[in-house]
mmCIF file of all heavy atoms in Angstrom:
data_model
loop_
_atom_site.group_PDB
_atom_site.id
_atom_site.type_symbol
_atom_site.label_atom_id
_atom_site.label_comp_id
_atom_site.label_asym_id
_atom_site.label_seq_id
_atom_site.Cartn_x
_atom_site.Cartn_y
_atom_site.Cartn_z
ATOM 1 N N SER A 466 -72.267 103.632 -26.121
ATOM 2 C CA SER A 466 -72.692 102.467 -25.353
ATOM 3 C C SER A 466 -72.330 101.155 -26.055
ATOM 4 O O SER A 466 -73.164 100.284 -26.282
ATOM 5 C CB SER A 466 -74.202 102.472 -25.104
ATOM 6 O OG SER A 466 -74.564 103.676 -24.449
ATOM 7 N N THR A 467 -71.061 101.021 -26.453
ATOM 8 C CA THR A 467 -70.637 99.826 -27.201
ATOM 9 C C THR A 467 -69.957 98.834 -26.288
ATOM 10 O O THR A 467 -69.518 99.181 -25.159
ATOM 11 C CB THR A 467 -69.641 100.215 -28.301
ATOM 12 O OG1 THR A 467 -68.497 100.861 -27.711
ATOM 13 C CG2 THR A 467 -70.295 101.163 -29.279
ATOM 14 N N GLU A 468 -69.821 97.616 -26.762
ATOM 15 C CA GLU A 468 -69.059 96.564 -26.071
ATOM 16 C C GLU A 468 -68.424 95.662 -27.128
ATOM 17 O O GLU A 468 -68.778 95.725 -28.308
ATOM 18 C CB GLU A 468 -69.969 95.753 -25.165
ATOM 19 C CG GLU A 468 -71.095 95.068 -25.873
ATOM 20 C CD GLU A 468 -71.984 94.300 -24.905
ATOM 21 O OE1 GLU A 468 -72.079 94.719 -23.754
ATOM 22 O OE2 GLU A 468 -72.557 93.309 -25.329
ATOM 23 N N ALA A 469 -67.477 94.856 -26.706
ATOM 24 C CA ALA A 469 -66.819 93.930 -27.636
ATOM 25 C C ALA A 469 -67.803 92.920 -28.165
ATOM 26 O O ALA A 469 -68.717 92.495 -27.429
ATOM 27 C CB ALA A 469 -65.671 93.222 -26.958
ATOM 28 N N PRO A 470 -67.673 92.442 -29.412
ATOM 29 C CA PRO A 470 -68.576 91.433 -29.955
ATOM 30 C C PRO A 470 -68.528 90.151 -29.118
ATOM 31 O O PRO A 470 -67.489 89.747 -28.616
ATOM 32 C CB PRO A 470 -68.008 91.174 -31.393
ATOM 33 C CG PRO A 470 -67.218 92.389 -31.707
ATOM 34 C CD PRO A 470 -66.656 92.866 -30.405
ATOM 35 N N GLN A 471 -69.681 89.482 -28.986
ATOM 36 C CA GLN A 471 -69.760 88.237 -28.267
ATOM 37 C C GLN A 471 -69.175 87.112 -29.103
ATOM 38 O O GLN A 471 -69.107 87.197 -30.327
ATOM 39 C CB GLN A 471 -71.211 87.911 -27.883
ATOM 40 C CG GLN A 471 -71.842 88.969 -26.984
ATOM 41 C CD GLN A 471 -73.291 88.685 -26.729
ATOM 42 O OE1 GLN A 471 -73.877 87.787 -27.348
ATOM 43 N NE2 GLN A 471 -73.877 89.433 -25.833
ATOM 44 N N GLU A 472 -68.770 85.996 -28.431
ATOM 45 C CA GLU A 472 -68.139 84.926 -29.134
ATOM 46 C C GLU A 472 -69.052 84.302 -30.191
ATOM 47 O O GLU A 472 -68.608 83.867 -31.246
ATOM 48 C CB GLU A 472 -67.714 83.825 -28.135
ATOM 49 C CG GLU A 472 -66.548 84.277 -27.240
ATOM 50 C CD GLU A 472 -66.128 83.157 -26.338
ATOM 51 O OE1 GLU A 472 -66.671 82.067 -26.429
ATOM 52 O OE2 GLU A 472 -65.244 83.380 -25.504
ATOM 53 N N ASN A 473 -70.392 84.258 -29.905
ATOM 54 C CA ASN A 473 -71.312 83.630 -30.849
ATOM 55 C C ASN A 473 -71.909 84.640 -31.846
ATOM 56 O O ASN A 473 -72.836 84.320 -32.557
ATOM 57 C CB ASN A 473 -72.440 82.904 -30.119
ATOM 58 C CG ASN A 473 -73.252 83.865 -29.260
ATOM 59 O OD1 ASN A 473 -72.859 85.008 -29.094
ATOM 60 N ND2 ASN A 473 -74.360 83.388 -28.735
ATOM 61 N N ALA A 474 -71.380 85.870 -31.841
ATOM 62 C CA ALA A 474 -71.880 86.888 -32.765
ATOM 63 C C ALA A 474 -71.328 86.656 -34.157
ATOM 64 O O ALA A 474 -70.268 86.096 -34.304
ATOM 65 C CB ALA A 474 -71.486 88.302 -32.264
ATOM 66 N N PRO A 475 -72.031 87.178 -35.211
ATOM 67 C CA PRO A 475 -71.469 87.060 -36.550
ATOM 68 C C PRO A 475 -70.130 87.785 -36.646
ATOM 69 O O PRO A 475 -69.893 88.741 -35.898
ATOM 70 C CB PRO A 475 -72.533 87.791 -37.420
ATOM 71 C CG PRO A 475 -73.809 87.763 -36.576
ATOM 72 C CD PRO A 475 -73.331 87.816 -35.146
ATOM 73 N N HIS A 476 -69.274 87.315 -37.541
ATOM 74 C CA HIS A 476 -67.954 87.942 -37.681
ATOM 75 C C HIS A 476 -68.094 89.407 -38.067
ATOM 76 O O HIS A 476 -68.697 89.746 -39.059
ATOM 77 C CB HIS A 476 -67.228 87.194 -38.802
ATOM 78 C CG HIS A 476 -65.834 87.700 -39.021
ATOM 79 N ND1 HIS A 476 -64.901 87.866 -37.992
ATOM 80 C CD2 HIS A 476 -65.193 88.135 -40.157
ATOM 81 C CE1 HIS A 476 -63.766 88.343 -38.488
ATOM 82 N NE2 HIS A 476 -63.936 88.513 -39.789
ATOM 83 N N GLN A 477 -67.583 90.291 -37.206
ATOM 84 C CA GLN A 477 -67.832 91.730 -37.347
ATOM 85 C C GLN A 477 -67.418 92.330 -38.687
ATOM 86 O O GLN A 477 -68.193 93.016 -39.306
ATOM 87 C CB GLN A 477 -67.100 92.474 -36.214
ATOM 88 C CG GLN A 477 -67.411 93.940 -36.135
ATOM 89 C CD GLN A 477 -68.645 94.154 -35.256
ATOM 90 O OE1 GLN A 477 -69.524 93.294 -35.171
ATOM 91 N NE2 GLN A 477 -68.752 95.303 -34.664
ATOM 92 N N PRO A 478 -66.212 92.058 -39.186
ATOM 93 C CA PRO A 478 -65.817 92.670 -40.439
ATOM 94 C C PRO A 478 -66.787 92.362 -41.595
ATOM 95 O O PRO A 478 -67.011 93.217 -42.430
ATOM 96 C CB PRO A 478 -64.424 92.082 -40.719
ATOM 97 C CG PRO A 478 -63.909 91.772 -39.346
ATOM 98 C CD PRO A 478 -65.102 91.296 -38.593
ATOM 99 N N SER A 479 -67.391 91.165 -41.656
ATOM 100 C CA SER A 479 -68.262 90.845 -42.737
ATOM 101 C C SER A 479 -69.513 91.737 -42.699
ATOM 102 O O SER A 479 -70.071 92.104 -43.713
ATOM 103 C CB SER A 479 -68.709 89.383 -42.691
ATOM 104 O OG SER A 479 -69.500 89.129 -41.529
ATOM 105 N N GLN A 480 -69.955 92.121 -41.460
ATOM 106 C CA GLN A 480 -71.119 93.006 -41.356
ATOM 107 C C GLN A 480 -70.787 94.397 -41.843
ATOM 108 O O GLN A 480 -71.571 95.081 -42.455
ATOM 109 C CB GLN A 480 -71.618 93.029 -39.909
ATOM 110 C CG GLN A 480 -71.971 91.657 -39.361
ATOM 111 C CD GLN A 480 -73.014 90.944 -40.177
ATOM 112 O OE1 GLN A 480 -73.804 91.615 -40.876
ATOM 113 N NE2 GLN A 480 -73.062 89.655 -40.116
ATOM 114 N N ILE A 481 -69.570 94.851 -41.519
ATOM 115 C CA ILE A 481 -69.150 96.157 -41.989
ATOM 116 C C ILE A 481 -69.039 96.161 -43.516
ATOM 117 O O ILE A 481 -69.378 97.133 -44.191
ATOM 118 C CB ILE A 481 -67.803 96.547 -41.364
ATOM 119 C CG1 ILE A 481 -67.968 96.674 -39.849
ATOM 120 C CG2 ILE A 481 -67.296 97.865 -41.925
ATOM 121 C CD1 ILE A 481 -68.948 97.723 -39.397
ATOM 122 N N ASP A 482 -68.595 95.012 -44.083
ATOM 123 C CA ASP A 482 -68.546 94.924 -45.544
ATOM 124 C C ASP A 482 -69.946 95.079 -46.140
ATOM 125 O O ASP A 482 -70.127 95.626 -47.209
ATOM 126 C CB ASP A 482 -67.957 93.590 -45.973
ATOM 127 C CG ASP A 482 -66.444 93.525 -45.699
ATOM 128 O OD1 ASP A 482 -65.868 94.587 -45.500
ATOM 129 O OD2 ASP A 482 -65.875 92.436 -45.666
ATOM 130 N N THR A 483 -70.970 94.575 -45.409
ATOM 131 C CA THR A 483 -72.357 94.709 -45.870
ATOM 132 C C THR A 483 -72.717 96.172 -45.950
ATOM 133 O O THR A 483 -73.388 96.610 -46.877
ATOM 134 C CB THR A 483 -73.306 93.980 -44.910
ATOM 135 O OG1 THR A 483 -72.918 92.611 -44.830
ATOM 136 C CG2 THR A 483 -74.736 94.058 -45.399
ATOM 137 N N THR A 484 -72.303 96.960 -44.937
ATOM 138 C CA THR A 484 -72.570 98.385 -44.969
ATOM 139 C C THR A 484 -71.944 99.035 -46.197
ATOM 140 O O THR A 484 -72.549 99.856 -46.905
ATOM 141 C CB THR A 484 -72.010 99.067 -43.691
ATOM 142 O OG1 THR A 484 -72.511 98.384 -42.558
ATOM 143 C CG2 THR A 484 -72.376 100.533 -43.643
ATOM 144 N N HIS A 485 -70.701 98.648 -46.454
ATOM 145 C CA HIS A 485 -70.001 99.185 -47.612
ATOM 146 C C HIS A 485 -70.719 98.832 -48.890
ATOM 147 O O HIS A 485 -70.889 99.643 -49.804
ATOM 148 C CB HIS A 485 -68.551 98.661 -47.626
ATOM 149 C CG HIS A 485 -67.740 99.165 -48.777
ATOM 150 N ND1 HIS A 485 -67.345 100.468 -48.880
ATOM 151 C CD2 HIS A 485 -67.265 98.552 -49.882
ATOM 152 C CE1 HIS A 485 -66.649 100.640 -49.978
ATOM 153 N NE2 HIS A 485 -66.585 99.485 -50.616
ATOM 154 N N SER A 486 -71.214 97.561 -48.963
ATOM 155 C CA SER A 486 -71.923 97.100 -50.146
ATOM 156 C C SER A 486 -73.203 97.908 -50.351
ATOM 157 O O SER A 486 -73.608 98.150 -51.484
ATOM 158 C CB SER A 486 -72.237 95.613 -50.021
ATOM 159 O OG SER A 486 -71.049 94.860 -49.951
ATOM 160 N N TYR A 487 -73.852 98.248 -49.251
ATOM 161 C CA TYR A 487 -75.093 99.069 -49.342
ATOM 162 C C TYR A 487 -74.804 100.405 -49.992
ATOM 163 O O TYR A 487 -75.538 100.858 -50.873
ATOM 164 C CB TYR A 487 -75.709 99.240 -47.938
ATOM 165 C CG TYR A 487 -76.943 100.103 -47.942
ATOM 166 C CD1 TYR A 487 -78.110 99.718 -48.623
ATOM 167 C CD2 TYR A 487 -76.966 101.322 -47.265
ATOM 168 C CE1 TYR A 487 -79.225 100.489 -48.613
ATOM 169 C CE2 TYR A 487 -78.099 102.109 -47.265
ATOM 170 C CZ TYR A 487 -79.238 101.676 -47.909
ATOM 171 O OH TYR A 487 -80.361 102.490 -47.923
ATOM 172 N N SER A 488 -73.711 101.065 -49.574
ATOM 173 C CA SER A 488 -73.330 102.338 -50.159
ATOM 174 C C SER A 488 -72.967 102.132 -51.641
ATOM 175 O O SER A 488 -73.346 102.976 -52.481
ATOM 176 C CB SER A 488 -72.112 102.925 -49.439
ATOM 177 O OG SER A 488 -72.469 103.256 -48.117
ATOM 178 N N GLN A 489 -72.308 101.029 -51.930
ATOM 179 C CA GLN A 489 -71.956 100.747 -53.322
ATOM 180 C C GLN A 489 -73.221 100.536 -54.145
ATOM 181 O O GLN A 489 -73.294 100.965 -55.312
ATOM 182 C CB GLN A 489 -71.093 99.505 -53.410
ATOM 183 C CG GLN A 489 -69.674 99.691 -52.808
ATOM 184 C CD GLN A 489 -68.782 100.541 -53.696
ATOM 185 O OE1 GLN A 489 -69.194 101.599 -54.128
ATOM 186 N NE2 GLN A 489 -67.593 100.063 -53.990
#
C-alpha cells in the first residue's frame, strides 16, 4: 500500500540513511 513521497515530505533518502544508522 505504498505511494510516491509528497512534495512537502522529508527527503526520502535521508530517512533511509537513518534506518541504516540505527542498524549501525
Side-chain angles (χ1 to χ4, degrees):
S466 303
T467 59
E468 60 181 29
Q471 298 176 352
E472 290 183 4
N473 61 350
H476 181 52
Q477 188 87 332
S479 66
Q480 303 302 336
I481 297 299
D482 288 343
T483 303
T484 306
H485 180 69
S486 298
Y487 177 63
S488 296
Q489 291 287 49

